[in-house]
Amino acid sequence: MDELEQFKRANFFPGLQVGPEYWNKIEDYHFGKEKLYNSLFHGYGVVPKFLDSLHVQAGKTKGGLVTFIVGRGLCFDGLGNPLFLYEPQVIVFDSKKYSYPCTIHIVIKYNEVLQEFFQNTENIDLQGYKYKLESAKVELVQEITEPDITVELARVRLEDPEGTGINEIANCDDFKNPGPNALDYRFVPWAVRTERGVSMYLQRLMIDLFEYTCSVAKSCNELFPLSSLKSMYTVAMTSKMIIQTAGVFFDDVIHLLRPLFDVDHDVIFELADYEREHENEDYNFTTKEDYENARNAMYVLGDLLKKYSNKYEEIDLILGEHKKIIDGLKNTIIEKEVSSNDIQFISYKMPRVLLFEEEKYTLVDTINMASQESIEAHRLTFINTKHPSTVKDAFYYPDGTLVYDTIKRWVGGGMKFHLKNIVKGRKTLIIRRTDIYQGNYSVTVTLQGKNTYTMNVDGLDTKNRWRNIYLKINEGEISEYTPEVIFDIGEKGRDNSATVWVYQLL
């Protein structure tokens, strides 16, 4: 819209004398505002889900004439005019008018019809029509020459290779490829239909729940790489993005929630399958109360979706049941309590959240000995050592799991590095994967150049060589954001350090 019309409302005052022109300008003012609103907020095209949505169907009369039947509905042209079709309209197709091959368009245009003529037999200057009916007319054209005031409802590619004439037009069976002599809806424009919105409170609730779902699904998948957990993460992340970027109408909320039930269902049963397939590893998910609570909530959620009737109260119940499922999964998988003895035997990927001695820890830092970037970022160096080396190897944990890792080996002295992403003063766990081929020794750990701890490498195992050795640093002892740590084994000792994980209390 290149120019904006100046809108002037009528202003009445005592003694104002008005005639038909003045009153008609008042009507034009309101109609002009309506057209501007239509252009800005509804756009151009057919209004969906209103009456018959101006849907076009092909048919034949009893006499065999080919016809196009345009259903009732409403659309807006490029000027914002509302094009109402109050009753179905029929257009007769005359095949003799066209040279083949060609394309014809079924179009609609705005049309005002004057109605209810008032006749004044005494004074013909004081008579006229009482109303202007806002209507529309449908036409068949070969070319749309006035796109601003014309809306296409369908088109047909006409072909007559045999030269016998076109005696039938087919209705559309394939939207993507309707073919010749069949109705084609691919180029019909659609306007935006205003629907019931979603409050910012419900949006925030859903965004928070989807974020929570993503977090739990990701953490669970790190422990147990199930395809359903990846799907849960993807579905929740996509739903969150849709709400934050495109927004949703209330009627569309249910379409974001139905896929959650599918992934909830898949996770619950895939976890049970995983337990059966690894029965020797003593997971026992399905015997836990939290798992049972999650499974029961999943069935309740399914029933709620089946009975859903587009009410706010039902949305609230559905979101509540999904949260119960995620809580149950979190408590079943992520918050598995790990004892001081269990830590050394964890052969799977270290979880994001660790429940240790009834306290929750979150993974804040990892030192990967295979990554030069990680080594440089943590400023890892050796102090007074002999024969430092780096080797990639694969050893077994006592549970029979073969794990590949890169090991730093050295004789005498120590390995110095700095921790990252640390919150000062928080209780901290430093866990180190260690080769205990030559075990039964201790490592002196110095923190920030002053606090000293002992990390015991107990046992000697030449067959199952991996163990996770840990050190707990108490609350208030870390006073720097990037504290220095030294693993020292004395003048003649030997040490083997693979990946280092750092957890802090949540």
Side-chain angles (χ1 to χ4, degrees), residues 42-56:
H42 298 302
Y44 166 85
V46 177
V47 177
K49 301 178 184 179
F50 178 70
L51 298 176
D52 305 321
S53 300
L54 298 173
H55 184 60
V56 180

Side-chain angles (χ1 to χ4, degrees), residues 226-243:
L226 306 180
S227 60
S228 56
L229 288 170
K230 292 182 180 179
S231 298
M232 175 181 283
Y233 177 86
T234 302
V235 168
M237 178 60 71
T238 303
S239 298
K240 175 189 167 188
M241 289 170 58
I242 289 172
I243 295 174

Side-chain angles (χ1 to χ4, degrees), residues 209-375:
L209 181 57
F210 290 138
E211 285 180 345
Y212 178 50
T213 302
C214 287
S215 175
V216 171
K218 185 176 182 180
S219 297
C220 289
N221 188 65
E222 289 178 351
L223 292 172
F224 302 99
L226 306 180
S227 60
S228 56
L229 288 170
K230 292 182 180 179
S231 298
M232 175 181 283
Y233 177 86
T234 302
V235 168
M237 178 60 71
T238 303
S239 298
K240 175 189 167 188
M241 289 170 58
I242 289 172
I243 295 174
Q244 289 182 311
T245 56
V248 292
F249 295 120
F250 181 80
D251 292 346
D252 297 326
V253 168
I254 191 63
H255 302 306
L256 298 179
L257 302 181
R258 289 189 190 280
L260 287 179
F261 169 75
D262 294 334
V263 293
D264 290 346
H265 177 277
D266 291 346
V267 168
I268 293 294
F269 286 97
E270 190 174 1
L271 198 59
D273 291 340
Y274 187 91
E275 179 184 300
R276 284 191 292 271
E277 293 169 2
H278 299 78
E279 57 183 355
N280 296 328
E281 299 180 33
D282 194 30
Y283 286 120
N284 299 323
F285 299 128
T286 57
T287 62
K288 295 182 178 180
E289 182 180 356
D290 289 312
Y291 177 87
E292 188 63 25
N293 291 339
R295 185 169 62 178
N296 290 337
M298 182 265 297
Y299 287 124
V300 174
L301 175 58
D303 291 337
L304 288 172
L305 291 172
K306 289 177 184 177
K307 300 174 183 177
Y308 180 71
S309 59
N310 216 32
K311 295 179 181 178
Y312 278 98
E313 294 83 357
E314 294 171 323
I315 291 291
D316 184 61
L317 291 173
I318 288 170
L319 294 174
E321 293 304 318
H322 173 69
K323 186 176 184 301
K324 289 180 185 177
I325 296 169
I326 302 305
D327 286 340
L329 291 174
K330 178 184 176 184
N331 295 334
T332 300
I333 300 176
I334 300 176
E335 297 185 352
K336 177 183 178 182
E337 185 170 1
V338 178
S339 69
S340 57
N341 187 59
D342 292 334
I343 282 184
Q344 62 179 317
F345 301 113
I346 295 177
S347 58
Y348 49 82
K349 185 177 180 180
M350 282 291 181
R352 280 185 170 274
V353 178
L354 196 66
L355 186 61
F356 177 69
E357 296 180 345
E358 298 184 350
E359 292 181 315
K360 294 179 185 178
Y361 289 81
T362 184
L363 183 65
V364 297
D365 193 16
T366 302
I367 305 176
N368 180 3
M369 302 304 177
S371 168
Q372 187 62 32
E373 181 181 356
S374 179
I375 290 172

Side-chain angles (χ1 to χ4, degrees), residues 27-93:
E27 290 298 310
D28 290 341
Y29 163 81
H30 291 295
F31 191 48
K33 276 290 191 69
E34 179 186 339
K35 292 199 295 182
L36 177 63
Y37 180 90
N38 292 339
S39 298
L40 295 178
F41 294 99
H42 298 302
Y44 166 85
V46 177
V47 177
K49 301 178 184 179
F50 178 70
L51 298 176
D52 305 321
S53 300
L54 298 173
H55 184 60
V56 180
Q57 290 278 275
K60 276 189 175 183
T61 66
K62 293 182 180 179
L65 297 176
V66 177
T67 60
F68 297 109
I69 305 169
V70 181
R72 303 166 303 157
L74 166 66
C75 67
F76 302 111
D77 65 17
L79 303 180
N81 287 305
L83 282 62
F84 288 97
L85 205 61
Y86 303 101
E87 299 294 338
Q89 299 292 311
V90 178
I91 308 174
V92 177
F93 170 68

